[in-house]
Amino acid sequence: MKTSFFGLSFWNTAFRPFFWFGSIYGILVIGFWLLVLSSAVTNPIQINSIHWHSYEMVFGFSKAIVLGFLFTAVQNWTNSSILKGKNLFFLLLFWALGRFSMYPLGLLSYLSFGLDISSDLMVILLLYPKLMVPTQKHNQPIIFHYGLFTIFHLFAGFSARSVLNPEQTLLYVHLSIFVILFLILIIGGRVVPFFSGVVIPGYSFKRMPKLESAILYLPFVFYISKLIEFYLTTNGSINIHIDNINLIDILLIISFLICFSLFVTNTVRFISWKPWKSYQKPILWILYTGYFWVCLGFLFYSLTSLGYFPISSAIHSLTVGGIGVFIYGMITRVSLGHTGRIIVASPLTVGAYIILNFAVIVRVLFPLFGKYNLAYHLSGIGWILAFTLFILQYTKILFSPRPDGKPS
């Protein structure tokens, strides 16, 4: 019997198309970015190339991958089917058509942007009835975060087009980066200890409800502080003088304390999970490595408020490291586990884990020694190679039915 297009396994769960297309797009964006940096091509985008690069890595690459495991996770938590078949296809299509919003296409670019925002609204409409119930109270912050992500996305697009102040573009992109990170912290808090318990004999960890509550709600304090800080000062860093502390200094100290608190709370959580026990399981230690980069990134970012660490290196420890490495661990683990395969990282996948972490180290540390160009190109090549290895190994897995015949 012939299977219809929407009846294919590829459209049965959100992680399959979003992991695949998101990874492809991540390769294309970084590849094009390297060509622009090396002046091999002229930038055809109608906005600042740095703004475009940041915008597409957040609302293009990161959003796609996060949607893949967000819908997968929520379906497991609620034991229900949320997104598949035709609805999944159209959500993916809206996301894909949204990738042309920054090109000089006249009204078509605005239509593209509208479809991109519409995809965010679709996500909220699909998740809201599943999570806003008493049994899902601990997961409800996901809806609030994604609502803010949609607002920041809208403002970032308006700023990039000069409808709002163009200087605000990176503010909203950076805030959206933190939304992605906070979603990772929520999902990571649910799945990493569970994965550890599955593969590590006798694994256990101490649960700390107060710490979990702090990690869940501290991000909203962070959003407010960053918005207030930005609107009262355009200076990204400042030296604090003991004898002459003004309002801006106080705001920057508060910003430091909030972000440092994110570092402390997540580091305590990270250590409580006993990450050292994962050293023999690459499919597991890659998730811990990604979480480690998140913690370190919060520390670096807190220091930027005091002028003690460069903002670019701090942001990339959170993006290439925290988001990139954790995402890579999730897409390899979920793609195997949810398609009925043995959950073991192949030698090529382990090689990709190492390459991607090398890319993080290069991108974060080399600029500290003035090696900017080398950092951009080496880390970019490492990123492209790692995700190319994912595509080569996992395309067949993502497009094929489960070997055991079960739905996935």
Side-chain angles (χ1 to χ4, degrees):
M1 181 176 178
K2 188 176 180 180
T3 304
S4 67
F5 177 72
F6 294 118
L8 296 173
S9 297
F10 190 66
W11 303 112
N12 205 33
T13 46
F15 74 85
R16 290 176 180 264
F18 276 113
F19 284 4
W20 195 82
F21 280 101
S23 297
I24 291 287
Y25 192 66
I27 293 169
L28 293 176
V29 170
I30 295 299
F32 181 76
W33 175 237
L34 292 181
L35 292 175
V36 171
L37 286 177
S38 59
S39 300
V41 299
T42 303
N43 178 28
I45 313 300
Q46 62 183 350
I47 65 170
N48 180 297
S49 61
I50 294 176
H51 291 179
W52 174 83
H53 161 69
S54 305
Y55 183 95
E56 289 302 325
M57 287 305 292
V58 174
F59 303 114
F61 165 77
S62 298
K63 173 182 166 180
I65 304 293
V66 166
L67 289 183
F69 60 73
L70 182 57
F71 276 104
T72 303
V74 173
Q75 287 186 173
N76 286 341
W77 297 338
T78 60
N79 194 28
S80 62
S81 178
I82 303 174
L83 183 64
K84 62 188 295 185
K86 191 178 294 185
N87 289 339
L88 174 55
F89 171 80
F90 280 109
L91 179 60
L92 180 76
L93 181 64
F94 280 20
W95 166 84
L97 293 176
R99 310 283 48 85
F100 299 96
S101 65
M102 294 302 166
Y103 290 83
L105 301 173
L107 289 176
L108 289 178
S109 68
Y110 286 93
L111 176 60
S112 173
F113 181 59
L115 291 172
D116 208 12
I117 295 297
S118 296
S119 70
D120 287 331
L121 297 176
M122 286 176 64
V123 172
I124 295 172
L125 289 173
L126 287 165
L127 293 181
Y128 186 89
K130 298 295 182 180
L131 293 180
M132 298 307 289
V133 295
T135 56
Q136 292 297 318
K137 187 176 180 179
H138 59 300
N139 290 320
Q140 289 173 1
I142 288 175
I143 290 293
F144 304 138
H145 282 298
Y146 205 90
L148 288 172
F149 180 81
T150 303
I151 293 170
F152 296 150
H153 187 182
L154 186 68
F155 284 6
F158 283 165
S159 299
R161 289 173 173 77
S162 299
V163 176
L164 298 176
N165 184 352
E167 293 182 3
Q168 297 177 0
T169 304
L170 281 183
L171 164 70
Y172 295 118
V173 170
H174 285 180
L175 285 171
S176 300
I177 288 171
F178 280 95
V179 176
I180 296 291
L181 285 164
F182 296 141
L183 287 173
I184 284 174
L185 297 182
I186 293 173
I187 296 172
R190 308 284 187 270
V191 302
V192 174
F194 171 74
F195 292 162
S196 299
V198 170
V199 300
I200 300 175
Y203 176 82
S204 65
F205 71 101
K206 183 180 179 181
R207 299 182 184 277
M208 295 175 278
K210 290 183 179 179
L211 179 72
E212 292 300 319
S213 294
I215 290 173
L216 210 54
Y217 295 105
L218 192 57
F220 297 103
V221 180
F222 172 85
Y223 295 140
I224 294 170
S225 72
K226 295 309 292 184
L227 286 168
I228 293 174
E229 176 192 329
F230 178 83
Y231 284 111
L232 291 183
T233 175
T234 57
N235 188 6
S237 62
I238 193 167
N239 292 317
I240 299 174
H241 304 286
I242 302 298
D243 296 328
N244 184 28
I245 297 180
N246 57 33
L247 177 60
I248 294 175
D249 297 331
I250 294 173
L251 288 172
L252 291 171
I253 293 173
I254 292 173
S255 180
F256 162 76
L257 291 174
I258 292 170
C259 204
F260 191 77
S261 297
L262 286 168
F263 160 68
V264 172
T265 52
N266 282 282
T267 300
V268 171
R269 181 201 230 185
F270 175 74
I271 294 172
S272 76
W273 288 345
K274 304 173 184 176
W276 54 87
K277 291 194 172 185
S278 68
Y279 76 98
Q280 290 183 319
K281 307 288 184 181
I283 201 81
L284 186 57
W285 63 243
I286 187 63
L287 295 174
Y288 282 111
T289 306
Y291 206 102
F292 166 79
W293 282 115
V294 173
C295 296
L296 194 61
F298 282 145
L299 174 62
F300 291 159
Y301 193 81
S302 70
L303 295 176
T304 65
S305 296
L306 306 181
Y308 295 144
F309 202 84
I311 185 69
S312 180
S313 286
I315 286 292
H316 283 86
S317 66
L318 291 167
T319 52
V320 186
I323 295 176
V325 174
F326 192 89
I327 273 177
Y328 204 94
M330 284 295 290
I331 63 177
T332 52
R333 203 276 179 199
V334 170
S335 295
L336 294 173
H338 285 267
T339 61
R341 270 80 177 180
I342 298 174
I343 308 173
V344 176
S346 70
L348 275 180
T349 298
V350 176
Y353 292 165
I354 295 169
I355 291 168
L356 191 55
N357 276 284
F358 172 75
V360 183
I361 293 169
V362 167
R363 182 59 187 84
V364 173
L365 297 183
F366 277 31
L368 302 182
F369 303 97
K371 304 293 184 182
Y372 298 97
N373 212 37
L374 187 61
Y376 303 152
H377 286 83
L378 277 182
S379 62
I381 292 169
W383 177 279
I384 291 170
L385 182 55
F387 278 91
T388 298
L389 287 173
F390 173 80
I391 292 298
L392 291 175
Q393 293 183 89
Y394 286 82
T395 293
K396 184 177 179 180
I397 291 172
L398 293 173
F399 278 80
S400 302
R402 286 177 62 116
D404 56 14
K406 295 180 181 179
S408 64

